[in-house]
Amino acid sequence: MDVSNEVPIIRIEDGAHHVCHYTLSFTICRGFYSHETHQALFLSKATLSSSSACSSSSASPTTMPFISKIHRQSDYNLFSSATPIVIDNGASYFRIGWAGESDPRVIFRNIVQRPRHKITGETVTIVGDHDPALLKYFDCTRSGPRSAFDSNVVYQFETMEYILDFGFDRMGANGSGIDHPVLITECVCNPVQSRSKMGELLFETYGVPSIAFGVDAAFSYKYNQQRGVCDKDGLAMCLGFNTTHVIPFVDGEPIYKGSCRTNIGGYHVTDYLKQLLSLKYPHHMARFTWEKVEDLKMEHCYITPDYASEARLFQKGAKEAEEKTRCWQLPWVPPPTEEPPSEEEIARKAAIKERNGQRLREMAEAKRSSRINELENELHGLEFLLRQLEQVEERNIPSFLAETGYVSRQEIESARGKASQSLRKAKGEPKSEQAETEADPATNEKFALVNIPDYMLTPDQIIEKKKQLSIKSMFEGRQRLKQKRHEEELERERKQQLEEEKRLENPELYLEQLHAKYKDLSEKINQRKRLKTNGGGHTNGNNLSGNVGRGERLNAAQRERMRLLTTAAFDRGKGEDTFGARDEDWQLYKLMSKDNDDDDEGPDQDETELARISSRLQDLDPTFVPKSEASTSQPAEVPRSRPLTKEDFQIVFGVERFRCPEILFSPKWIGVDQVGLDEMAGVTIRRLPFKDESLEERLTSSILVTGGSSLYPGIVERLEAGIRMIRPCGVPIKIVRALDPVIDAWRGAAAYASAPEFYTQTFSKMDYYEKGEDWLRSYQPKYSL
Amino acid sequence: MEAEIVEAELVLPSYFSFKKVQMYEKYPKGQSRGRHWKHLKQIIQAENYQNYPPDEPNYVNIESPPSMHPCKRICDITGFEAPYYDPRTNLRYANTDVFKIVRSLPNDYVQRYLSLRNAQVVLK
């Protein structure tokens, strides 16, 4: 099946020649995958033409906040053991660096792969994202990339350990142990099991002197608050990889009591886009790798102010929609065009064909002449035998015949007759016509006895007469049939002449009439077929769509039969069995029997007429193409046979661009029954333990959106519209995007860890073991230092 | 190992001087360890949140409630607004053209479309 035709392909006029250069408000490119995007071209559908093509990776290196940085740092030993190491342990990216610096030193995707080396067969560990070209030496089919996260909670500490190993290693650690305090982020209300496992890992395995845990969204909010982007009272909306949080801040401290979490994030958006594209283009499924789709998402997805109206725009195929449709041209090499054979080639082929034909003809001629020769010889032999036989005396005949192998004179004669007949045939002389015309005058003699009454005949003659009678009636029947055929031929010729006259009179009108007739007939036949399969039109009138798809394999008669069988089977034992009391009951078996099917009537009159008209149309009208039945019943068959074109290698996505991020606002679309982003603000305010209208106003007038998914263009406007709907009329609403939604959490954490009071918020290994689990559960750092 | 892999330091070494306990000491080779981790569901169960006061925020009770707004229904295939739904496949569709596609979809595609919104038929 082919789903690709579900979106109306927009024809592109070759008029627009300006190179499309849509600038997005963000351009993100993951370092190692950027070369992949160079292969494929992204075209704005509206400006798509052979001459205007632009590469998607127009990102300049300075505006790439998301790039993986995995170079090993060399200055690890220059930092004193008092400088904390700051880790933003996000579900998608792991960022690690030094407190007080502006950027993390090492960034990589928070995944671990454990493929097998193809040659040596040993299982190796690969952390983060690497140049995919290097992975060709490994067999990655057994295990895909693994994450240490379940939702937003770390649960696989073996994987976490590999990631920490890699992170510390790339930081340049080479002493015995990590002799620096560590600040590591975790999710809001992290289960204590996960928190204590993380503490245990850092203390026991790496020898970290002290640890602090903090929430990434809070660090991001604090960072932006310090730069005046948001106030000390406000809401932090953090759109993470697996989850989305809204956390209220009062006096610069997060109130977790009022926070809420919806289990939707960037992962779900990418996954949704991936699934939708693979369903839409099943032939290109292998193209939609996770990394590729993530790039597509980051480059092309946006959030509309109003989903319904935007979707309607696309449904109507409006001009704006056309401009918003993006098209990804997959690498495609046009198939080699077959050149028409040259004159000489044609001549040469014709000569070969002619020569072969000549040879065959000669062979056939030789065979024929040898056969004629043979037959003539046989005939001569037989005639000679007959002449000899005449000379032989009566009593010597048997002995003479015994020598020849024939039994009687009649047999020889019949053999001679046969031989002469086949000789005539071989020579190509007509025989039957002659025979019949010859027979004509003899008819009366042949049937001499027919007209003589029975009483005048001997019993033998009566038998003979009966024979003659039957032969005569047969003969007459044949004559009649011949006559009829002849008459029909005449009639047809007359009709053809009539039509020809009509055609010559007014060719256009004639053609038109013929077309109309063809249409009528074909519709009539189709209708009949449909009725046959659908059982007499009780399909609520949706004939067209009713006969496609599942469940309609039986025709009406077969269905009726199945119904009778099932009722007969389940009718047993229900009350008194009166079957057979009436004679009509037994008719049931007749109806049930298979012979009742009467759908093979053979081609009827309409069909032959249709065939005639279509052949005539084909003669007269070169543009006429008869509608084949296959095209109506199996539409999937047709595209397969046609050669693949450039369009088949285009991934067109229009609605998907805003449909996928829309799940952040309607989680129900992917089966998550929780409030969307705009409603979350309302939920948070309701959950706050104190009712204070001025506080609520302060909260909504300082809403910060942060996290990777807040990069979609249009999210701020959309959120504002959504929150305005759920808040009382006239309250101030101000929504701002974080300065850098991706790195801000780490930067905030780095700034926090560099503060002199940071040490009051950490705990040591001794604290960890002495204070117990309940203390760890209630551990919460103070964010305003 | 190939030179370019070694150069890119693609493979994580098994020994690090900064670790007190190496990976191979923690998880010796050739020993089946079984499952040594818990799923999030099991972690939450072990937290025994019911023993703590309900007004104390925890991982479970900060979760968002179901939406109070009526759900916008969109066509499963095209993403347009979907006023109709097909009782045979349970797919929502926008218009007759989409309906034709819906009816000609093979069953596994129908199920994949349904699984997008977690409404597929689950065999137990």
Side-chain angles (χ1 to χ4, degrees):
Chain A
M1 63 118 253
D2 194 1
V3 211
S4 64
N5 50 16
E6 75 197 27
V7 168
I9 298 290
I10 307 149
R11 288 277 143 253
I12 299 110
E13 263 69 58
D14 228 10
H17 280 289
H18 61 279
V19 175
C20 67
H21 224 86
Y22 51 92
T23 19
L24 295 162
S25 65
F26 67 100
T27 15
I28 298 157
C29 216
R30 220 176 293 106
F32 284 116
Y33 297 101
S34 60
H35 77 273
E36 229 179 76
T37 44
H38 277 290
Q39 297 169 356
L41 294 177
F42 271 92
L43 310 172
S44 164
K45 190 80 187 174
T47 54
L48 177 68
S49 70
S50 53
S51 61
S52 70
C54 80
S55 168
S56 70
S57 41
S58 53
S60 57
T62 50
T63 58
M64 283 200 281
F66 236 44
I67 187 167
S68 283
K69 291 202 296 192
I70 51 168
H71 291 292
R72 179 172 289 115
Q73 305 295 306
S74 54
D75 55 353
Y76 181 84
N77 292 324
L78 301 180
F79 288 88
S80 83
S81 64
T83 313
I85 289 178
V86 177
I87 299 171
D88 179 7
N89 188 24
S92 65
Y93 273 81
F94 183 92
R95 303 177 190 87
I96 182 168
W98 296 104
E101 292 196 347
S102 64
D103 277 305
R105 292 294 186 95
V106 178
I107 305 176
F108 54 92
R109 267 179 86 195
N110 214 337
I111 49 167
V112 173
Q113 275 170 293
R114 302 211 64 202
R116 198 182 281 267
H117 191 256
K118 270 182 186 161
I119 298 162
T120 60
E122 63 179 308
T123 307
V124 298
T125 309
I126 297 174
V127 176
D129 47 352
H130 288 268
D131 189 349
L134 286 178
L135 287 179
K136 68 182 177 214
Y137 300 108
F138 298 99
D139 172 23
C140 299
T141 50
R142 290 228 182 163
S143 69
R146 292 186 223 164
S147 165
F149 288 83
D150 189 348
S151 190
N152 56 349
V153 175
V154 180
Y155 79 118
Q156 287 218 0
F157 284 88
E158 191 182 344
T159 308
M160 197 66 238
E161 191 174 339
Y162 284 125
I163 285 164
L164 286 169
D165 279 355
F166 184 76
F168 288 131
D169 180 45
R170 292 297 151 116
M171 280 289 279
N174 50 13
S176 60
I178 304 294
D179 194 18
H180 297 271
V182 168
L183 169 59
I184 185 164
T185 62
E186 58 172 15
C187 67
V188 181
C189 299
N190 196 15
V192 74
Q193 199 253 9
S194 176
R195 188 181 275 178
S196 78
K197 276 268 172 71
M198 184 66 91
E200 186 188 313
L201 181 65
L202 288 170
F203 284 132
E204 298 294 336
T205 307
Y206 298 100
V208 172
S210 59
I211 304 175
F213 287 110
V215 173
D216 48 352
F219 287 128
S220 182
Y221 189 86
K222 294 304 286 183
Y223 181 80
N224 283 282
Q225 186 201 330
Q226 279 152 19
R227 272 148 197 80
V229 178
C230 47
D231 304 328
K232 61 180 173 35
D233 298 332
L235 294 179
M237 299 191 127
C238 180
L239 296 99
F241 186 63
N242 285 319
T243 53
T244 300
H245 285 95
V246 174
I247 306 165
F249 279 77
V250 177
D251 269 337
E253 285 294 322
I255 310 290
Y256 294 133
K257 176 87 190 64
S259 63
C260 64
R261 180 189 72 237
T262 294
N263 296 321
I264 281 221
Y267 166 85
H268 300 96
V269 179
T270 306
D271 193 52
Y272 196 46
L273 181 59
K274 187 166 176 271
Q275 301 283 350
L276 281 177
L277 287 179
S278 349
L279 280 165
K280 191 168 159 187
Y281 298 101
H283 304 299
H284 300 305
M285 196 125 57
R287 290 263 168 201
F288 307 121
T289 59
W290 179 265
E291 288 78 20
K292 185 70 223 175
V293 178
E294 186 115 328
D295 281 345
L296 287 182
K297 174 187 88 168
M298 289 195 280
E299 195 159 353
H300 298 289
C301 283
Y302 64 94
I303 290 173
T304 63
D306 178 18
Y307 183 87
S309 60
E310 186 89 351
R312 231 171 287 133
L313 216 64
F314 275 81
Q315 196 167 6
K316 277 187 294 188
K319 187 93 182 76
E320 299 99 300
E322 208 171 305
E323 273 161 15
K324 279 175 181 168
T325 304
R326 292 281 177 273
C327 174
W328 171 23
Q329 178 69 57
L330 297 173
W332 175 73
V333 184
T337 46
E338 272 178 35
E339 277 181 35
S342 62
E343 292 279 311
E344 297 139 51
E345 188 75 359
I346 294 171
R348 204 169 59 82
K349 280 206 175 133
I352 290 173
K353 208 171 163 188
E354 176 59 34
R355 223 177 304 139
N356 286 342
Q358 189 64 34
R359 215 178 60 225
L360 280 175
R361 273 198 294 278
E362 272 164 17
M363 270 165 66
E365 184 57 35
K367 210 170 161 189
R368 198 170 75 102
S369 64
S370 80
R371 181 160 165 74
I372 287 172
N373 229 351
E374 219 171 79
L375 284 167
E376 265 171 358
N377 281 348
E378 198 187 336
L379 203 62
H380 284 310
L382 286 168
E383 268 161 14
F384 176 71
L385 204 65
L386 279 172
R387 270 200 301 284
Q388 266 190 333
L389 205 61
E390 272 161 29
Q391 286 153 23
V392 175
E393 286 171 36
E394 193 71 17
R395 59 191 166 81
N396 285 342
I397 284 176
S399 64
F400 176 78
L401 282 176
E403 273 170 48
T404 61
Y406 287 100
V407 184
S408 67
R409 192 192 165 86
Q410 280 90 336
E411 201 185 323
I412 296 173
E413 270 171 356
S414 79
R416 189 187 66 162
K418 250 184 218 160
S420 71
Q421 214 171 43
S422 37
L423 185 63
R424 263 209 300 272
K425 206 168 149 191
K427 279 180 180 170
E429 291 164 16
K431 64 141 213 214
S432 52
E433 294 283 320
Q434 267 178 348
E436 272 188 51
T437 41
E438 274 164 23
D440 253 8
T443 315
N444 288 340
E445 290 148 47
K446 253 166 87 181
F447 307 127
L449 297 176
V450 173
N451 294 327
I452 302 167
D454 280 354
Y455 61 85
M456 290 169 73
L457 300 169
T458 59
D460 275 355
Q461 274 175 326
I462 287 174
I463 294 169
E464 185 68 11
K465 185 186 164 184
K466 274 185 186 155
K467 229 188 256 169
Q468 278 183 4
L469 261 173
S470 73
I471 289 172
K472 192 181 173 210
S473 68
M474 245 149 66
F475 176 78
E476 278 169 355
R478 264 206 302 276
Q479 287 296 94
R480 269 201 302 278
L481 208 69
K482 226 159 81 184
Q483 182 71 20
K484 204 175 150 196
R485 232 181 284 144
H486 185 66
E487 272 168 17
E488 267 176 16
E489 206 147 290
L490 278 181
E491 177 72 6
R492 229 193 339 265
E493 256 170 48
R494 202 174 53 79
K495 261 192 191 163
Q496 257 174 16
Q497 230 166 1
L498 220 67
E499 269 186 38
E500 194 64 24
E501 271 169 31
K502 255 200 239 168
R503 189 176 79 82
L504 290 175
E505 227 171 78
N506 188 350
E508 279 96 37
L509 183 75
Y510 173 73
L511 213 59
E512 213 171 276
Q513 280 172 344
L514 216 58
H515 271 297
K517 214 187 222 172
Y518 176 80
K519 216 173 130 198
D520 274 0
L521 270 174
S522 63
E523 247 165 46
K524 197 166 147 196
I525 288 171
N526 274 344
Q527 182 77 24
R528 199 160 49 213
K529 253 185 213 148
R530 226 155 30 217
L531 282 180
K532 212 183 262 172
T533 49
N534 275 352
H538 46 70
T539 49
N540 307 329
N542 56 353
N543 277 332
L544 255 180
S545 43
N547 61 355
V548 287
R550 71 212 81 241
E552 268 153 339
R553 280 167 297 181
L554 301 178
N555 66 24
Q558 285 167 321
R559 272 210 302 271
E560 177 62 15
R561 188 167 158 260
M562 291 313 287
R563 195 188 62 78
L564 287 173
L565 280 173
T566 45
T567 45
F570 290 107
D571 218 14
R572 295 287 144 80
K574 227 197 284 168
E576 204 181 337
D577 191 2
T578 57
F579 184 83
R582 287 171 303 151
D583 277 347
E584 297 95 80
D585 289 349
W586 302 102
Q587 291 290 323
L588 189 65
Y589 288 111
K590 224 185 241 174
L591 287 169
M592 265 189 220
S593 70
K594 256 208 157 94
D595 316 338
N596 212 26
D597 295 352
D598 56 349
D599 50 343
D600 296 315
E601 297 146 356
D604 61 345
Q605 219 177 346
D606 285 337
E607 270 169 62
T608 49
E609 180 70 2
L610 188 72
R612 194 185 68 81
I613 292 178
S614 90
S615 76
R616 181 122 181 92
L617 270 169
Q618 267 169 325
D619 285 346
L620 296 173
D621 187 358
T623 61
F624 174 77
V625 184
K627 275 186 272 174
S628 60
E629 283 172 51
S631 72
T632 52
S633 61
Q634 292 164 311
E637 294 294 308
V638 182
R640 203 168 295 158
S641 57
R642 88 189 147 78
L644 292 174
T645 61
K646 197 177 164 191
E647 278 72 32
D648 291 323
F649 286 86
Q650 278 174 358
I651 308 300
V652 178
F653 54 116
V655 182
E656 289 85 352
R657 287 185 66 200
F658 57 93
R659 178 181 177 181
C660 298
E662 187 69 16
I663 61 171
L664 296 170
F665 292 89
S666 319
K668 197 91 225 282
W669 288 0
I670 58 164
V672 175
D673 194 9
Q674 287 186 309
V675 293
L677 200 51
D678 41 5
E679 269 185 89
M680 281 172 85
V683 170
T684 289
I685 291 169
R686 275 204 307 278
R687 279 185 178 179
L688 278 175
F690 24 82
K691 207 89 198 111
D692 180 353
E693 269 178 35
S694 73
L695 175 68
E696 283 175 17
E697 278 186 21
R698 285 204 303 282
L699 288 180
T700 51
S701 55
S702 162
I703 298 175
L704 181 85
V705 282
T706 181
S709 290
S710 65
L711 288 168
Y712 295 115
I715 191 166
V716 172
E717 294 77 10
R718 172 63 191 277
L719 260 178
E720 187 167 344
I723 293 175
R724 203 170 284 287
M725 282 215 299
I726 54 172
R727 294 303 301 160
C729 181
V731 300
I733 289 169
K734 188 177 153 226
I735 295 162
V736 283
R737 186 183 276 133
L739 293 172
D740 185 335
V742 178
I743 307 284
D744 273 359
W746 186 88
R747 285 181 181 150
Y752 179 77
S754 67
E757 296 89 351
F758 172 65
Y759 294 97
T760 59
Q761 306 302 320
T762 60
F763 60 94
S764 67
K765 188 173 169 181
M766 222 162 64
D767 295 330
Y768 174 73
Y769 284 110
E770 279 179 2
K771 290 181 177 170
E773 198 179 69
D774 267 343
W775 172 83
L776 192 65
R777 189 192 308 276
S778 56
Y779 165 84
Q780 193 188 325
K782 199 170 168 312
Y783 287 91
S784 315
L785 292 179
Chain B
M1 291 282 167
E2 288 74 8
E4 49 180 330
I5 295 178
V6 175
E7 202 189 325
E9 295 188 86
L10 190 68
V11 174
L12 195 73
S14 57
Y15 172 81
F16 291 100
S17 66
F18 56 78
K19 286 181 80 172
K20 305 271 186 225
V21 189
Q22 301 296 332
M23 212 66 173
Y24 52 81
E25 291 162 353
K26 224 185 248 186
Y27 310 110
K29 249 186 196 161
Q31 276 184 28
S32 69
R33 297 174 270 128
R35 222 182 63 188
H36 53 282
W37 43 266
K38 286 180 184 169
H39 280 295
L40 180 57
K41 259 188 186 168
Q42 297 165 305
I43 292 175
I44 289 170
Q45 204 144 41
E47 294 285 301
N48 290 319
Y49 286 130
Q50 68 275 10
N51 298 343
Y52 294 88
D55 59 338
E56 196 181 291
N58 61 45
Y59 190 81
V60 175
N61 67 18
I62 62 164
E63 200 149 354
S64 306
S67 177
M68 304 295 278
H69 291 187
C71 181
K72 275 171 283 178
R73 299 196 188 283
I74 58 160
C75 172
D76 282 304
I77 291 166
T78 60
F80 302 144
E81 275 181 294
Y84 319 110
Y85 114 100
D86 174 22
R88 195 179 292 176
T89 58
N90 286 332
L91 286 173
R92 302 197 180 106
Y93 62 94
N95 51 35
T96 47
D97 295 336
V98 184
F99 182 67
K100 261 177 228 167
I101 295 170
V102 165
R103 280 296 166 91
S104 61
L105 277 178
N107 193 39
D108 56 329
Y109 275 81
V110 170
Q111 291 307 317
R112 281 175 63 192
Y113 271 113
L114 286 173
S115 68
L116 282 183
R117 55 179 160 93
N118 212 5
Q120 73 277 31
V121 174
V122 182
L123 296 175
K124 277 179 185 161

